[in-house]
């Protein structure tokens, strides 16, 4: 049996509603955390997309419903991006989503009754592609990067970005009556793709929200000013580091920010369970406490990432400290049960090259860690003032 475009659109809308109701209901019954609220908004907006297009299918005189649907579609994809940013402990950026949805709404509404079902379609699809690309990139950063469901969400959003970008290009170049558009980008094909992506995204964000609510990872829990691993939490470290840098600047004392990110932490969690990942984080924190200089500040901004701010007399001394930490880390296996050895990617930035601004030091250190990750990990990189790795 062949299903026409309107029928597939209605089925897609039904799936959106079922997935949305399920996600929102589960969010309401559990802790109402910020990422969960934004992801719930994405599904609410998805329901409004289904209602808007459904109303137009029933009555072509309700041309205004296309405006509702187009605006809601931007909010739906944008809220997934915004929720991912909050999950990664960053600002939501929802003002960008609201502004772009307003622009798309105005463009669609300006087409009036003669705009039909394709009113504002080209700008809409370009905005949706941009939101999907931003969301896919965000899902590969921070806490989401270390979670397999974050990577699944990233794939979904990148598929959205590629599909809607291609759809917009074909729309502008050849129009909706071209054979290519009718074969690959018409409403029926889009509905089939949407159904697959909606279900996948719903499962991924549901698991992410559940893990965020019930997580016992030592990198995500604070005990007073410390993380559960026994070193300074992200907020406490920023305050202490800023104070040390200010005093170091006054006395012209050299300081180095050493960053470390545990290699293959997602794979450890997948292969041996979350408890093994927690043990890896705790063991690494203990290694830092025993091998870093006595008066160094040790921070824990994310599950597998640590920062050490230490007084140094030269850049070579900073590297010596890092090498001592690296050697101490690989000396013993991760517990008797796992018989695996931890490694980490290290990055160094010092005040000799970057001055005493914590944000600049953090950015340089993070860049250096990324360079080591690209090389395969278990190494040390230094970023100089000119952002050249050594």
């Amino acid at each position: 049996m062949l299903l026409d475009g309107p029928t597939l659109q209605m089925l897609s809308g039904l799936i959106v509603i079922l997935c949305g109701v399920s996600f929102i209901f589960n969010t309401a019954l559990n802790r109402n955390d910020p990422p969960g609220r934004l992801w719930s908004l994405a599904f609410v907006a998805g329901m409004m997309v289904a209602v808007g297009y459904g109303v137009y299918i029933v009555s072509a005189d309700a041309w205004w419903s296309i405006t509702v649907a187009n605006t809601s579609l931007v909010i739906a994809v944008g809220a997934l991006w915004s929720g991912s940013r909050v999950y990664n402990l960053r600002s939501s950026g929802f003002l960008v989503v609201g502004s772009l949805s307003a622009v798309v709404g105005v463009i669609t509404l300006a087409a009036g009754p003669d705009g039909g079902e394709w009113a504002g379609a080209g700008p809409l699809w370009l905005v949706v592609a941009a939101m999907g690309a931003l969301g896919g990139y965000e899902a590969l950063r921070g806490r989401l990067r270390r979670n397999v469901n974050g990577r699944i969400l990233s794939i979904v959003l990148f598929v959205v970005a590629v599909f809607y970008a291609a759809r917009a290009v074909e729309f502008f170049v050849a129009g909706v009556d071209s054979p290519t558009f009718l074969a690959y980008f018409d409403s029926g094909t889009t509905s089939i793709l949407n159904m697959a992506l909606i279900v996948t995204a719903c499962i991924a964000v549901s698991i992410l929200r559940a893990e965020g609510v019930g997580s016992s990872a030592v990198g995500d829990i604070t005990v007073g000013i410390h993380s559960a691993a026994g070193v300074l939490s992200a907020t406490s470290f920023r305050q202490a580091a800023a104070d040390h840098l200010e005093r170091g600047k006054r006395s012209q004392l050299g300081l180095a920010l050493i960053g470390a990110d545990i290699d293959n932490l997602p794979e450890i969690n997948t292969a041996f369970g979350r408890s093994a990942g927690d043990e890896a984080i705790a063991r690494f924190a203990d290694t830092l406490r025993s091998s870093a200089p006595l008066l160094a500040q040790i921070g824990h901004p994310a599950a597998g990432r640590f920062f050490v701010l230490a007084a140094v007399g030269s850049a070579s001394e900073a590297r010596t400290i890092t090498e001592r930490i690296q050697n101490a880390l690989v000396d013993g296996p991760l517990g008797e049960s796992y018989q695996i050895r931890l490694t980490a990617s290290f990055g160094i930035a010092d005040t000799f090259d970057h001055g005493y601004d914590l944000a600049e030091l953090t950015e340089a250190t993070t860049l250096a860690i990324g360079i080591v990750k690209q090389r395969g990990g278990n190494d040390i990189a230094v970023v100089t003032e000119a952002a050249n790795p050594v």
Side-chain angles (χ1 to χ4, degrees), residues 48-361:
M48 293 305 298
V49 173
V51 170
Y53 289 137
V55 168
Y56 186 80
I57 290 173
V58 173
S59 174
D61 293 332
W63 56 272
W64 49 266
S65 64
I66 296 296
T67 302
V68 174
N70 287 358
T71 304
S72 299
L73 181 57
V74 175
I75 295 174
V77 181
L80 289 174
W81 166 64
S82 185
S84 299
R85 284 178 60 91
V86 174
Y87 191 93
N88 282 338
L89 305 178
R90 304 175 68 205
S91 62
S92 69
F94 195 76
L95 180 61
V96 175
V97 179
S99 301
L100 289 175
S101 64
V103 170
V104 168
V106 170
I107 293 173
T108 307
L109 194 62
D114 298 329
E117 66 175 308
W118 305 114
L124 165 69
W125 297 338
L126 289 176
V127 170
V128 168
M131 289 285 95
L134 287 172
Y137 175 70
E138 187 63 38
L140 293 177
R141 302 179 61 189
R143 298 169 67 200
L144 286 172
R145 179 177 61 85
R146 287 182 279 268
N147 192 304
V148 65
N149 291 288
R151 283 172 277 175
I152 291 172
L153 178 60
S154 175
I155 292 172
V156 169
L157 291 172
F158 276 133
V159 170
V160 168
V162 171
F163 178 82
Y164 277 94
R167 197 181 191 200
V169 170
E170 184 64 22
F171 176 81
F172 285 120
V173 172
V176 296
D177 295 324
S178 71
T180 301
F181 190 93
L182 293 174
Y184 300 106
F185 301 114
D186 71 341
S187 299
T189 305
T190 304
S191 298
I192 293 173
L193 178 67
N194 285 343
M195 283 188 277
L197 296 179
I198 289 162
V199 172
T200 306
C202 181
I203 293 172
V205 296
S206 294
I207 296 174
L208 286 168
R209 191 205 57 78
E211 289 180 346
V213 170
S215 173
S216 60
V218 293
D220 301 326
I221 299 175
T222 58
V223 180
I225 66 171
H226 293 117
S227 79
V231 297
L232 292 174
S233 66
T235 301
S236 301
F237 177 77
R238 283 195 299 269
Q239 294 172 344
D243 177 67
H244 276 64
L245 287 166
E246 181 182 354
R247 289 190 289 156
K249 184 176 182 180
R250 290 177 183 175
S251 60
Q252 291 300 300
L253 175 68
L255 293 163
L257 184 66
I258 302 168
D261 195 280
I262 300 175
D263 294 330
N264 304 316
L265 186 59
E267 288 75 10
I268 292 174
N269 284 328
T270 301
F272 300 101
R274 189 63 172 267
S275 60
D278 289 350
E279 184 175 340
I281 294 168
R283 180 173 178 268
F284 192 33
D286 187 61
T287 300
L288 288 175
R289 295 178 68 229
S290 61
S291 56
L294 180 62
L295 298 181
Q297 301 295 313
I298 305 173
H300 194 181
R305 179 158 296 191
F306 294 83
F307 285 129
V308 177
L309 182 68
V312 295
S314 64
S316 60
E317 183 180 353
R319 189 174 186 93
T320 299
I321 293 172
T322 308
E323 290 173 347
R324 183 167 68 242
I325 296 171
Q326 184 184 34
N327 293 333
L329 182 64
V330 299
D331 276 347
L334 173 60
E336 297 180 357
S337 303
Y338 307 111
Q339 294 300 311
I340 58 176
R341 295 183 183 274
L342 287 180
T343 63
S345 300
F346 294 90
I348 306 172
D350 57 51
T351 56
F352 308 110
D353 286 326
H354 300 276
Y356 293 86
D357 182 72
L358 178 59
E360 184 175 344
L361 287 167

